[in-house]
DNA sequence: ACCGCCGCTTGATCTGGATCAAGCGAAGAT
DNA sequence: ATCTTCGCTTGATCCAGATCAAGCGGCGGT
């Protein structure tokens, strides 16, 4: 806790137009002076550290958050006092979209590692989107994309077995990191096995056993948090559920 | 198939301002002449019948659809040739929001019973929202609400057992029908046991057994598609997972 | 450098719900 | 009216993954 260094503001103060995420983030396809206007409403906070909250469930909704570097998990309380991990958020990804409706956050967002986060006050963003059609369109797409992603998760939790879930999880991380310009095959997990299991609807032990199995099968190397994917093609085929002999899925 | 009656257009041609769904649908809180403008872009189609598609996965995205009466299911193909039921849509609910991002439908929407559906061409709606701030806000809320709903489903599929899932499903139907002005305790299921099971990540047999059990326990009456909920309070408590003796949920 | 905690792994056992297997009966077809 | 199909129910069995149990070892703290 005593290690909070004072970071020079110059390091943080990076305008949207120079942001390496610009193609992933909101401003995609905006005219230069529209980017400027967006840039003006974005707050750049000092780096957050592992365990810090962006918001907690029950908090009033004020802003969207964009991960610039690092990672964040979101999770919702379940009635019994446990929690459901809803997602892991990597650079370029937006957090808080689910709270627009009720104006109250229904989940919490916790920083998994030292991270830089942009804060975008939603009311101001809304004013902006009303005058910049292409930004409005981006917002609709952003919200829609989130729905599509949730849909994928529903299919995963509803129809896939443990092996397929973990393979899908690893490939999802891989693709998202790659899109961000990082290695698709060599990365560190910022979340615990427990959190992965919670997210995928599996017990910690199952996650651990599958890591071991995937490694034994030559699909990947696992060393603590350090992951190396060795055979993306086979992992991809595992996700498809063509595990070899799978009963014809039920047609409803 | 030979029973397609010609329905008089007057029956269908009901303007938004007179629509009984107006408080649930898009126009909430709009000025009268804004409702008028919205009304002008909404297409009202002839009634659709069981088995008709609003769209299929792979179709180009053009419109959102609002259920006026009846019900619709949406479902996505899974890699193995099966499918995942993504939702059942009742009057006042909007379909197609997930396709805005990619401009292609990733799921199909199939009518479960004779239904009246409004079609809202999205491009025109987008033009409208750009000039009516409160409508824009409604759109954001609508999209956000959908994300929130998906989040609930993730918790259900990730953490709840069969009993909790079915209880949650029944109560969800009950509340949504009630909001629409229909009975919260007496209704007909327009979907099959198979579809319910698929939606909830359960086998048909499990759904059937649970219906029997709930009935034996005096929580509800089940006669084919006809459902009567007798003890909402107990059903509610089942959802909470307080089944009685439940291990303390994992804290990630 | 040492200690203690906690996250992870691995093995053994248990179980909720899936799968397999038989009817049953209602709704639609002829 | 009868047939046929298909959706549903109910019983028996099976199994993937949860739970229980027991270390191991890295990492943070002092």
């Amino acid at each position: 806790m005593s290690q909070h260094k004072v970071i020079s503001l110059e390091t943080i103060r990076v305008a949207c137009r120079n942001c390496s995420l610009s193609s992933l983030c909101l401003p995609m396809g905006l005219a230069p002076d529209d980017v400027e206007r967006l840039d003006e409403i974005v707050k750049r906070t000092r780096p957050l550290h592992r365990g810090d909250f962006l918001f907690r469930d029950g908090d009033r909704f004020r802003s969207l958050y964009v991960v610039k570097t690092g990672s964040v998990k979101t999770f919702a309380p379940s009635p019994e006092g446990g929690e459901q991990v809803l997602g892991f958020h990597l650079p370029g990804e937006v957090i808080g979209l689910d709270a627009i409706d009720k104006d109250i956050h229904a989940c919490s967002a916790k920083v998994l590692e030292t991270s830089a986060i942009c804060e975008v006050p939603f009311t101001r963003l809304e004013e902006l989107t009303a005058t910049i059609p292409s930004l409005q369109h981006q917002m609709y797409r952003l919200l829609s994309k989130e729905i599509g992603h949730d849909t994928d998760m529903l299919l995963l939790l509803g129809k896939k077995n443990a092996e397929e879930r973990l393979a899908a999880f690893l490939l999802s991380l891989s693709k998202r990191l790659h899109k961000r310009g990082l290695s698709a095959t060599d990365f560190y997990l910022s979340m615990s096995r427990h959190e992965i299991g919670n997210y995928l609807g599996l017990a910690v032990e199952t996650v651990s056993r599958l890591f071991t199995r995937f490694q034994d099968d030559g699909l990947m190397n696992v060393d603590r948090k350090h992951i190396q994917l060795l055979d993306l093609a086979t992992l991809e085929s595992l996700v498809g559920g063509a595990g070899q002999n799978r009963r014809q899925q039920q047609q409803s």
Side-chain angles (χ1 to χ4, degrees), chain A residues 5-139:
Chain A
K5 308 189 202 90
V6 176
I7 306 284
S8 73
L9 283 181
E10 286 68 47
T11 318
I12 312 308
R13 233 300 169 181
V14 182
C16 285
R17 83 180 78 69
N18 297 325
C19 177
S20 59
L21 294 174
S22 59
S23 63
L24 296 173
C25 186
L26 292 166
M28 196 178 163
L30 288 188
D33 63 331
D34 287 339
V35 175
E36 183 73 28
R37 293 165 68 194
L38 176 58
D39 187 48
E40 279 163 16
I41 72 168
V42 175
K43 298 180 192 170
R44 287 154 192 93
T45 61
R46 72 172 63 220
L48 298 174
H49 300 90
R50 175 169 183 80
D52 290 347
F53 281 84
L54 295 182
F55 52 79
R56 294 166 195 261
D57 71 276
D59 283 357
R60 178 78 191 286
F61 167 68
R62 300 186 183 288
S63 300
L64 300 178
Y65 298 88
V66 185
V67 182
K68 217 168 138 51
T69 64
S71 52
V72 176
K73 79 160 174 175
T74 46
F75 57 102
S78 84
E80 304 84 70
E83 60 190 40
Q84 166 74 39
V85 173
L86 298 174
F88 301 109
H89 307 272
L90 305 183
E93 298 175 353
V94 179
I95 300 170
L97 296 172
D98 61 309
I100 297 172
D101 177 40
K102 296 193 168 48
D103 218 50
I104 298 282
H105 286 286
C107 66
S108 305
K110 201 172 188 177
V111 174
L112 290 171
E113 61 189 314
T114 303
S115 301
I117 311 283
C118 287
E119 178 181 348
V120 188
F122 184 68
T123 305
R124 318 234 358 226
L125 178 59
E126 225 177 336
E127 291 161 9
L128 217 53
T129 62
T131 58
I132 310 177
S134 68
L135 187 59
Q136 187 196 51
H137 188 68
Q138 286 303 312
M139 273 300 289

Side-chain angles (χ1 to χ4, degrees), chain A residues 68-70 90-91 173-187:
Chain A
K68 217 168 138 51
T69 64
L90 305 183
L173 283 185
S174 167
K175 284 173 190 149
R176 288 149 68 199
L177 291 169
H178 186 64
K179 206 186 302 177
R180 173 72 187 84
L182 302 172
S183 171
T185 55
D186 191 307
F187 49 87

Side-chain angles (χ1 to χ4, degrees), chain A residues 140-156:
Chain A
Y140 289 147
R141 287 191 52 196
L142 192 62
L143 283 149
S144 173
K145 192 203 214 58
E146 186 76 13
I147 296 170
H149 177 257
D150 288 350
T151 285
D152 294 343
M153 280 304 292
L154 290 185
L155 201 153
L156 184 140

